[in-house]
């Protein structure tokens, strides 16, 4: 028998009587209990039956019966122990005990007045805590929504300043092409969109989250069959930013490869 | 029945007087007899019974009907408490001496106490006399005197597994003989 593997059925049955008679030491008893829980249900039932037989077998015990007066002494000692424990652990230990007390109030184990007070105080405290928790969750949710709205408003303000009051008409003009730049592994949180209007040949760059890619300046480049051309160098402060790129050859650049490179030459965003 | 027993112990744990009374009515006789078997005097046994029922109240919320029937749990708590009491009160002294001859194992439970001389265990002692020596000695020392199996193993210079087997088989044989005697 090793301590690493649960006992076999034979071992469990052999030690069943020793377990119930308290003859196993602490380690062995814990090992036995662990093995019991690993055993199949049929074996567990068998052990429980055997142990109950051993426990209730009086054939080896003396025939003496307890004195009738012992009953009152035992009940009084238990009641005193409960009362002592209740007062020692008050107020917290008294929570919930009233539910088990007889309704007629003639209990041997009554709840003291201080217990009533502390129970009420605990319930009140629990209620206040719950209300605060609800307020906190709602406030946090509200704060998030406010941040989202502020971000949208800020973006609109930037675009309006860069593009003019009619920026919405520009952005949603049917002649405007949107080229989405996706983040490389260097800046997973960064985003950028290039807007090219095929009718007016105007171009705009909108970025978000570039600061996470590292402080410093960034360069917007376009690469086609003729080579790479740097269109705009800019600095990012994080958040949403917009940059006017002026008039470009939209027809030839719409299908080119756009990329944003940081100051160390790493490609942060690309349209590829 | 398991559910009822679990409910009973749940109520005992909550300090329900009626539940404590029910627990006493069901198990006081058994607990007293076990205490009487291990302790030399009736007053000591009665004191122990009071302590055991307090202990049952203290541990009631730990009773798990999936692990054992209630009578098993009560017996386990009672036996452990009695063994602890024997050791705590130094009723059994550490100056015990042992002799190899059958029937001469001598353990001092107090100035005037020896289970072999005690009438209350006469039935058990008669049954013990018919067992093989190793089983008899192991039962005396572990079952009656509260020595741990490891201690008995060291005292007898026998492997722990051998002591366990001897005790288990000896107790089983004792119960079989006792039942047969009762049936006659």
């Amino acid at each position: 028998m090793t301590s690493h593997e649960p006992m076999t059925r034979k071992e469990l049955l052999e030690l069943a009587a020793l377990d119930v008679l308290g003859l196993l030491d602490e380690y062995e008893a814990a090992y036995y209990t662990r093995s019991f829980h690993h055993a199949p249900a049929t074996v567990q039932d068998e052990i429980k039956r055997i142990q109950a037989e051993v426990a209730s077998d009086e054939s080896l015990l003396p025939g003496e019966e307890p004195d009738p007066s012992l009953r009152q002494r035992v009940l009084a000692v238990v009641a005193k122990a409960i009362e002592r424990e209740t007062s020692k652990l008050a107020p917290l230990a008294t929570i919930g005990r009233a539910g088990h007390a007889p309704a007629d109030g003639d209990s041997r184990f009554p709840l003291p007045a201080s217990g009533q007070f502390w129970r009420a105080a605990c319930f009140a405290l629990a209620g206040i805590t719950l209300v605060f928790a609800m307020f906190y969750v709602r406030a946090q949710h509200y704060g998030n929504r406010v941040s989202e709205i502020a971000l949208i408003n800020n973006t609109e303000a930037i675009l309006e300043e860069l593009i003019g009051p009619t920026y919405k008409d520009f952005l949603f003009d049917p002649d405007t092409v949107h080229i989405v730049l996706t983040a490389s592994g260097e800046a997973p949180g960064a985003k950028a969109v290039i807007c090219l209007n095929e009718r007016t040949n105007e171009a705009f760059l909108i970025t978000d989250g570039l600061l996470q890619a590292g402080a410093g300046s960034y360069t917007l480049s376009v690469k086609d069959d003729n080579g790479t051309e740097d269109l705009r160098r800019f600095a990012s402060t994080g958040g949403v930013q917009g940059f006017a790129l002026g008039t470009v050859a939209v027809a030839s650049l719409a299908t080119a490869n756009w990329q944003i490179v940081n100051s160390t030459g790493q490609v942060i965003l690309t349209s590829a | 029945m398991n559910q009822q027993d679990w409910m009973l112990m749940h109520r005992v744990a909550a300090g329900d007087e009626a539940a404590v009374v029910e627990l006493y009515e069901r198990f006081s006789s058994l607990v007293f007899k076990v205490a009487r078997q291990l302790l030399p005097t009736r007053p000591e046994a009665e004191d122990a019974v009071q302590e055991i029922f307090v202990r049952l109240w203290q541990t009631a919320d730990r009773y798990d009907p999936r692990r054992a029937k209630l009578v098993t749990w009560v017996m386990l708590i009672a036996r452990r408490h009695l063994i602890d009491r024997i050791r705590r009160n130094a009723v059994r002294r550490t100056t015990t001496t042992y002799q190899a001859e059958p029937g001469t194992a001598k353990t001092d439970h107090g100035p005037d106490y020896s289970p072999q001389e005690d009438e209350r265990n006469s039935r058990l002692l008669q049954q013990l006399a018919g067992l093989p020596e190793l089983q008899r000695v192991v039962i005396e020392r572990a079952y009656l005197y509260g020595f741990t199996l490891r201690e008995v193993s060291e005292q007898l210079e026998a492997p722990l597994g051998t002591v366990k087997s001897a005790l288990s088989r000896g107790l089983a044989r004792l119960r079989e003989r006792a039942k047969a005697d009762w049936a006659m």
Side-chain angles (χ1 to χ4, degrees):
Chain A
M1 185 191 321
T2 68
S3 60
H4 302 292
E5 295 176 1
M7 295 179 188
T8 63
R9 173 183 172 275
K10 183 183 174 186
E11 290 167 338
L12 282 167
L13 295 179
E14 186 178 59
L15 297 183
L18 308 193
D19 179 52
V20 67
L21 294 174
L23 296 175
L24 300 179
D25 63 31
E26 195 173 340
Y27 171 79
E28 288 171 321
Y31 179 31
Y32 188 87
T33 298
R34 184 164 60 87
S35 300
F36 173 89
H37 288 302
H38 275 89
T42 53
V43 176
Q44 290 183 355
D45 289 342
E46 192 176 4
I47 291 168
K48 284 164 67 175
R49 182 182 53 76
I50 291 172
Q51 290 192 323
E53 281 179 10
V54 172
S56 55
D57 182 8
E58 297 187 16
S59 62
L60 299 177
L61 299 175
E64 296 179 51
E65 290 291 339
D67 191 277
S69 65
L70 183 60
R71 182 179 186 275
Q72 284 308 312
R73 278 184 279 158
V74 167
L75 297 179
V77 166
V78 174
K80 194 173 179 181
I82 293 172
E83 190 177 338
R84 190 166 52 242
E85 184 74 7
T86 302
S87 61
K88 189 170 70 177
L89 296 179
L92 295 179
T94 58
I95 297 173
R97 283 192 180 272
H100 302 292
D104 59 5
D106 190 26
S107 172
R108 186 185 289 270
F109 318 115
L111 189 66
S114 63
Q116 299 279 6
F117 167 77
W118 281 109
R119 186 193 309 136
C122 287
F123 279 123
L125 183 61
I128 291 169
T129 304
L130 184 64
V131 168
F132 271 110
M134 290 173 64
F135 269 117
Y136 174 75
V137 170
R138 291 191 62 178
Q140 197 170 38
H141 179 68
Y142 179 73
N144 292 339
R145 288 290 301 150
V146 167
S147 298
E148 288 174 16
I149 292 168
L151 186 61
I152 292 169
N153 287 339
N154 186 45
T155 304
E156 286 184 346
I158 291 168
L159 294 174
E160 190 169 345
E161 181 183 343
L162 291 168
I163 304 172
T166 59
Y167 77 98
K168 289 181 181 173
D169 295 336
F170 172 78
L171 286 180
F172 302 110
D173 188 326
D175 293 324
T176 298
V177 177
H178 300 91
I179 301 171
V180 177
L181 276 62
T182 56
S184 66
E186 298 299 327
K191 307 178 188 72
V193 177
I194 294 167
C195 306
L196 302 172
N197 192 294
E198 295 176 330
R199 181 167 42 82
T200 62
N201 286 331
E202 289 179 289
F204 288 89
L205 168 66
I206 303 170
T207 66
D208 184 18
L210 267 185
L211 195 62
Q212 299 172 17
S217 61
Y218 297 87
T219 303
L220 174 66
S221 303
V222 60
K223 188 165 68 174
D224 59 10
D225 296 337
N226 298 320
T228 301
E229 181 185 359
D230 294 339
L231 289 182
R232 175 73 188 254
R233 192 180 299 276
F234 61 94
S236 175
T237 56
V240 178
Q241 290 180 286
F243 307 95
L245 301 178
T247 303
V248 298
V250 171
S252 60
L253 297 179
T255 57
N257 178 25
W258 296 76
Q259 59 186 26
I260 294 176
V261 181
N262 68 9
S263 57
T264 62
Q266 291 177 310
V267 177
I268 303 302
L269 293 156
T270 178
S271 62
Chain B
M1 190 60 187
N2 280 349
Q3 185 66 18
Q4 290 175 6
D5 285 347
W6 182 83
M7 281 300 298
L8 173 64
M9 296 308 277
H10 184 71
R11 288 166 52 215
V12 169
D16 185 332
E17 179 187 2
V20 177
V21 169
E22 184 180 340
L23 189 70
Y24 181 85
E25 298 294 346
R26 282 178 60 181
F27 298 109
S28 59
S29 173
L30 180 66
V31 170
F32 177 79
K33 288 174 181 176
V34 176
R36 194 68 190 96
Q37 182 175 57
L38 294 178
L39 299 174
T41 66
R42 195 175 171 93
E44 276 191 69
E46 291 180 343
D47 284 348
V49 170
Q50 295 175 41
E51 294 169 356
I52 288 166
F53 273 91
V54 171
R55 186 79 188 129
L56 285 170
W57 162 68
Q58 290 171 332
T59 59
D61 58 350
R62 284 191 246 155
Y63 169 64
D64 182 0
R66 295 167 301 179
R67 172 64 182 87
K69 295 188 178 180
L70 186 52
V71 66
T72 306
W73 173 259
V74 170
M75 174 61 85
L76 181 63
I77 296 294
R79 288 270 320 180
R80 282 184 178 168
H81 182 83
L82 289 165
I83 291 170
D84 286 345
R85 182 187 169 104
I86 289 170
R87 293 174 180 169
R88 189 173 59 245
N89 295 343
V91 172
R92 183 198 63 193
R93 295 176 183 166
T94 55
T95 55
T96 305
T97 57
Y98 299 97
Q99 300 173 26
E101 292 79 13
T104 57
K106 181 74 174 173
T107 303
D108 191 353
H109 267 70
D112 304 314
Y113 175 67
S114 170
Q116 283 86 347
E117 299 162 5
D118 200 316
E119 283 299 315
R120 73 183 190 282
N121 278 324
S122 59
R123 192 163 47 184
L124 172 62
L125 296 171
Q126 282 176 2
Q127 301 288 354
L128 275 176
L131 291 181
E133 181 191 346
L134 180 62
Q135 292 179 6
R136 179 184 56 75
V137 173
V138 168
I139 289 174
E140 281 179 356
R141 297 184 184 190
Y143 184 74
L144 288 178
Y145 297 125
F147 284 107
T148 67
L149 296 186
R150 216 168 289 279
E151 287 172 329
V152 176
S153 169
E154 291 168 2
Q155 291 162 6
L156 300 179
E157 296 181 349
L160 184 60
T162 303
V163 172
K164 281 182 188 172
S165 295
L167 182 56
S168 180
R169 288 173 189 169
L171 287 172
R173 191 174 292 187
L174 275 183
R175 283 198 303 276
E176 287 170 9
R177 290 185 180 182
K179 283 178 184 173
D181 287 352
W182 276 56
M184 286 174 64

